[in-house]
């Protein structure tokens, strides 16, 4: 007698799992991370270690407080992705507590108070970054000039010393604003765009020196993500197009006051935001049409905040603002169910 | 024209009444459990806010100032707002009994929405002219409606989330409102002053 085995659907299982997804994302982040470390020195490695340790620690604490399986969630890699993304936004010689505060706020408040992975309405890394930027604007905008142009090279020991012992005063002498920040300040002093771009060694061919490479590498990693089908094309394409069109429009209107669209695409967190942050499957919109609006919204708000706002980069705020709008977008862009009429 | 655009950007985004000035929090928390009611409340409040800022401007300009009784401003504005709300309630009752049912107690409670009185008083304080006052009221209402609707949709999702027991309900809603307020700080600096 043959036994007929029956099981309930689904009968075909996908090979993907959360850990596999998260570690693919981390692998795709690697080129950008290496470029970031190359240009900004050993401080990046120190902060990355610190961030990952804090993230895992907070995750373990919250999981044990909430009586959840610790092994399952600690090894899924989602906390590591948040920590790594946040690391890109922290200046290399920033004091150690900056990373600890940012990461623990991201993991505890933005992720676990909402129920952990899969429930958070806001992108945890961006919540952590925005908290730091609002609370410690001085520490968060003290960027190092990229190593290739800086006369000051720090070895590992000196970096450690600066991060753990020196207050902000010790670091002040060698730091300066990031390219986008610098551009904004100079423009408000009514310098014309050409003057600024020719003046500093802060600017490279496309964007800020160093930053353009980090962005190019993030673009490469993003294309890998697309190829691996981890993310959909809708959000990055809509975001980059919206940024390109709005920057291009104002640049054509007055090239002296509004910067080149390329500078916007290859500076700050643009590429990282487009491929790695905005595409967070939990906090982004989930319908295809919603994704297009969501991405375009991020692009436009990023441009508005960068150009007229008071903060150096708009990507983080834009992502949080569109995170807020994502449930509404989903609600109003529900696709038509098969077999039902055009309306209702 | 640019001046009017600035008023709108300022009231809707930069100085959002709920998330930046923290006015009108009661309906923001109270009517945001369902998206449908939030949308109804948003329209009702927009109507009331715009109308009451126009009426309070007229009352202030043509009654209080000429008679030199500006010390009665607050109480007379409250009266004006109550009248406008009553009028709105009658309109909603006649045009959409269903919405009237759904909004329930919150409709008359627009009277006590501090954003409404806040807008009327701020209009006088900033010495805006007639059209600017109306626009200021309208912008404040649009800003209120925007965050109320977004917040309601978010709360519908959060209800389904695995929130720790101690944070269910209003606690997580207030944390969400705080994070939204943080996100809105990104707009600061768009309009000076």
């Amino acid at each position: 007698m043959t036994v007929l085995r029956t099981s309930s659907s689904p009968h075909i299982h996908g090979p993907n799992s959360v850990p596999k997804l998260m570690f693919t994302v981390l692998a795709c982040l690697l080129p950008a991370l290496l470029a970031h470390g190359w240009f900004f020195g050993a401080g990046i490695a120190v902060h990355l270690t610190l961030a990952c340790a804090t993230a895992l620690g907070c995750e373990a604490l919250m999981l044990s407080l909430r009586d959840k399986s610790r092994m399952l969630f600690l090894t899924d890699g989602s906390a590591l992705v948040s920590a790594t993304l946040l690391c890109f936004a922290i200046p290399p010689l920033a004091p150690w507590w900056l990373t600890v505060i940012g990461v623990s706020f991201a993991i505890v408040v933005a992720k676990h108070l909402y129920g952990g992975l899969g429930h958070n309405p806001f992108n945890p890394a961006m919540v952590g970054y925005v908290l730091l930027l609002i609370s410690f604007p001085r520490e968060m905008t003290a960027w190092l000039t990229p190593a290739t142009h800086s006369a000051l090279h720090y070895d590992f020991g000196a970096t450690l010393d600066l991060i753990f012992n020196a207050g902000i005063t010790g670091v002040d002498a060698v730091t300066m604003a990031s390219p986008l920040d610098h551009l904004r300040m100079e423009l408000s002093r009514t310098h014309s765009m050409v003057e600024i771009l020719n003046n500093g060694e802060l600017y490279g061919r496309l964007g800020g020196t160093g930053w353009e490479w980090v962005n190019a590498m993030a673009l490469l990693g993003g294309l890998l993500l697309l190829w691996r089908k981890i993310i959909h094309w809708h959000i990055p394409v809509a975001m980059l197009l919206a940024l390109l069109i709005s920057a291009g429009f104002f640049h054509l209107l007055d090239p002296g006051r509004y910067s080149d669209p390329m500078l916007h695409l290859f500076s700050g967190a643009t590429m990282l935001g487009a491929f790695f942050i905005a595409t967070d499957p939990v906090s982004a919109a989930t319908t295809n049409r919603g994704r297009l609006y969501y991405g375009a919204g991020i692009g436009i708000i990023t441009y508005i905040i960068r150009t007229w706002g008071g903060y150096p980069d708009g990507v983080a705020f834009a992502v949080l603002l569109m995170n807020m709008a994502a449930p509404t977008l989903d609600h109003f862009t529900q696709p038509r169910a098969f077999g039902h009429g055009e309306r209702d | 024209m640019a001046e009017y655009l600035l008023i709108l950007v300022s009231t809707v985004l930069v100085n959002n009444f709920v998330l930046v000035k923290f006015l009108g929090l009661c309906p923001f928390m109270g009517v945001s459990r369902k998206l449908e009611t939030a949308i109804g409340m948003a329209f009702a409040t927009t109507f009331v806010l715009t109308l009451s800022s126009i009426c309070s401007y007229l009352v202030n300009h043509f009654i209080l100032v000429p008679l030199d009784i500006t010390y009665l401003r607050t109480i007379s504005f409250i009266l004006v707002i109550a009248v406008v709300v009553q009028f709105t309630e009658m309109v909603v009752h006649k045009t959409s009994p269903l919405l009237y049912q759904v909004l329930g107690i919150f409709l008359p409670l627009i009277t006590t929405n501090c954003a409404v009185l806040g807008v009327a008083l701020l209009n006088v304080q900033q010495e805006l002219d007639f059209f600017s006052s109306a626009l200021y009221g309208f912008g404040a209402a649009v800003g209120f409606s925007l965050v109320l609707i977004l917040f309601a949709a978010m709360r519908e999702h959060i209800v389904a989330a695995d929130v720790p027991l101690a944070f269910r309900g209003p606690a997580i809603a207030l944390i969400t409102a705080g994070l939204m307020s943080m996100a809105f700080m990104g707009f600061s600096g768009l309009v000076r002053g």
Side-chain angles (χ1 to χ4, degrees):
Chain A
M1 198 177 94
T2 53
V3 178
L4 184 67
R5 284 178 188 278
T6 55
S7 63
S8 66
S9 62
H11 301 290
I12 301 171
H13 296 270
N16 279 332
S17 64
V18 173
K20 200 176 160 195
L21 192 110
M22 289 298 172
F23 285 106
T24 316
V25 171
L26 277 178
C28 292
L29 262 177
L30 203 61
L33 197 61
L34 288 178
H36 200 57
W38 170 265
F39 284 106
F40 295 102
I44 301 297
V46 178
H47 278 293
L48 185 64
T49 319
L50 203 59
C52 289
T54 315
L56 290 179
C58 290
E59 185 95 0
L61 178 75
M62 289 311 285
L63 286 172
S64 66
L65 281 177
R66 296 177 53 221
D67 289 329
K68 299 278 170 187
S69 153
R70 239 169 294 171
M71 273 331 282
L72 178 66
F73 289 105
L74 269 183
T75 51
D76 72 3
S78 61
L80 293 181
V81 172
S82 297
T84 313
L85 286 175
L86 184 56
C87 253
F88 277 97
I90 292 178
L93 292 183
W96 60 273
W97 44 262
L98 216 54
T99 306
V100 173
I101 293 175
V103 172
S104 37
F105 190 78
I107 299 291
V108 174
V109 177
K111 187 174 172 192
H112 273 288
L113 289 193
Y114 286 99
L117 182 66
H119 295 298
N120 47 307
F122 294 102
N123 186 316
M126 292 303 102
V127 171
Y129 171 62
V130 163
L131 174 87
L132 291 179
L133 190 62
I134 290 173
S135 320
F136 313 102
R138 186 147 170 252
E139 283 84 346
M140 285 301 285
T141 47
W143 277 89
L144 210 58
T145 46
T148 45
H149 284 260
S150 162
L152 291 142
H153 249 312
Y154 286 102
D155 60 8
F156 196 66
T159 308
L160 271 185
D161 191 46
L162 276 173
I163 291 175
F164 286 97
N165 294 328
I168 185 74
T169 44
V171 182
D172 247 4
V174 293
T175 55
M176 58 186 307
S178 65
L180 277 176
D181 207 8
H182 178 254
L183 188 67
R184 198 171 46 80
M185 283 191 296
E186 292 297 308
L187 277 176
S188 65
R189 285 188 204 134
T190 66
H191 288 195
S192 83
M193 191 60 71
V194 185
E195 259 181 302
I196 302 167
L197 292 185
N198 285 338
N199 228 337
E201 31 182 43
L202 261 176
Y203 303 95
R205 299 163 70 110
L206 290 174
T209 312
W211 289 101
E212 53 188 6
W213 281 103
V214 177
N215 272 288
M217 288 297 147
L219 175 62
L220 179 76
L223 293 179
L224 284 176
L225 280 183
L226 274 177
W227 173 61
R228 299 297 306 159
K229 295 192 175 151
I230 304 278
I231 57 174
H232 294 262
W233 60 270
H234 304 82
I235 294 175
V237 168
M239 173 181 162
L240 294 177
L241 260 185
L243 186 59
L244 185 72
I245 290 171
S246 40
F249 175 75
F250 282 100
H251 182 65
L252 287 180
L253 218 61
D254 185 357
R257 279 189 55 211
Y258 300 104
S259 53
D260 200 84
M262 277 316 188
L263 186 87
H264 277 285
L265 286 186
F266 284 92
S267 293
T270 310
M271 290 295 172
L272 205 64
F275 289 100
F276 290 92
I277 298 168
T279 53
D280 172 12
V282 181
S283 55
T286 49
T287 61
N288 280 345
R289 212 147 46 91
R291 284 191 180 117
L292 288 177
Y293 294 136
Y294 175 85
I298 294 179
I300 291 168
I301 297 175
T302 301
Y303 185 74
I304 290 175
I305 293 179
R306 276 185 183 173
T307 312
W308 297 286
Y311 288 100
D313 200 352
V315 174
F317 288 108
V319 168
L320 287 189
L321 287 165
M322 290 314 286
N323 281 168
M324 275 164 52
T328 317
L329 284 177
D330 280 348
H331 184 89
F332 287 109
T333 57
Q334 286 300 327
R336 186 173 64 90
F338 183 72
H340 287 258
E342 283 294 307
R343 292 270 150 201
D344 289 328
Chain B
M1 202 49 222
E3 179 200 349
Y4 295 131
L5 189 70
L6 275 186
I7 290 182
L8 270 185
V9 172
S10 161
T11 46
V12 176
L13 301 176
V14 183
N15 296 315
N16 188 289
F17 268 74
V18 180
L19 294 180
V20 181
K21 286 189 195 286
F22 302 119
L23 288 171
L25 280 176
C26 350
F28 182 65
M29 299 303 294
V31 212
S32 55
R33 272 197 208 90
K34 277 220 172 322
L35 190 58
E36 306 302 324
T37 45
I39 292 173
M41 187 67 176
F43 278 113
T45 309
T46 307
F47 187 71
V48 170
L49 252 172
T50 316
L51 204 61
S52 74
S53 57
I54 292 173
C55 293
S56 57
Y57 175 85
L58 294 176
V59 166
N60 184 56
H61 210 70
F62 293 108
I63 299 176
L64 298 183
V65 173
L67 296 180
D68 204 17
I69 45 170
T70 47
Y71 53 86
L72 288 178
R73 184 174 289 144
T74 309
I75 199 154
S76 50
F77 279 4
I78 292 174
L79 192 69
V80 168
I81 291 166
V83 169
V84 174
V85 170
Q86 194 59 49
F87 174 64
T88 313
E89 197 178 342
M90 281 153 63
V91 169
V92 173
H93 192 48
K94 289 288 177 202
T95 54
S96 170
L98 184 68
L99 186 64
Y100 184 78
Q101 284 276 314
V102 172
L103 287 177
I105 185 69
F106 289 105
L107 199 54
L109 275 185
I110 298 178
T111 324
T112 58
N113 183 343
C114 33
V116 182
L117 184 61
V119 166
L121 290 174
L122 281 171
N123 272 339
V124 178
Q125 204 178 52
Q126 298 176 337
E127 294 171 346
L128 296 175
D129 61 36
F130 176 73
F131 191 67
S132 300
S133 315
L135 203 61
Y136 193 83
F138 178 69
V142 170
F144 174 83
S145 308
L146 177 75
V147 294
L148 181 68
I149 291 171
L150 296 182
F151 187 56
M154 288 186 80
R155 278 186 82 172
E156 284 191 353
H157 275 231
I158 291 170
V159 164
D162 178 25
V163 177
L165 202 59
F167 285 93
R168 298 256 164 94
I172 197 72
L174 278 168
I175 289 173
T176 311
L179 292 180
M180 288 171 82
S181 177
M182 253 169 62
F184 259 71
M185 284 190 76
F187 288 121
S188 66
L190 283 188
V191 177
R192 305 266 169 253

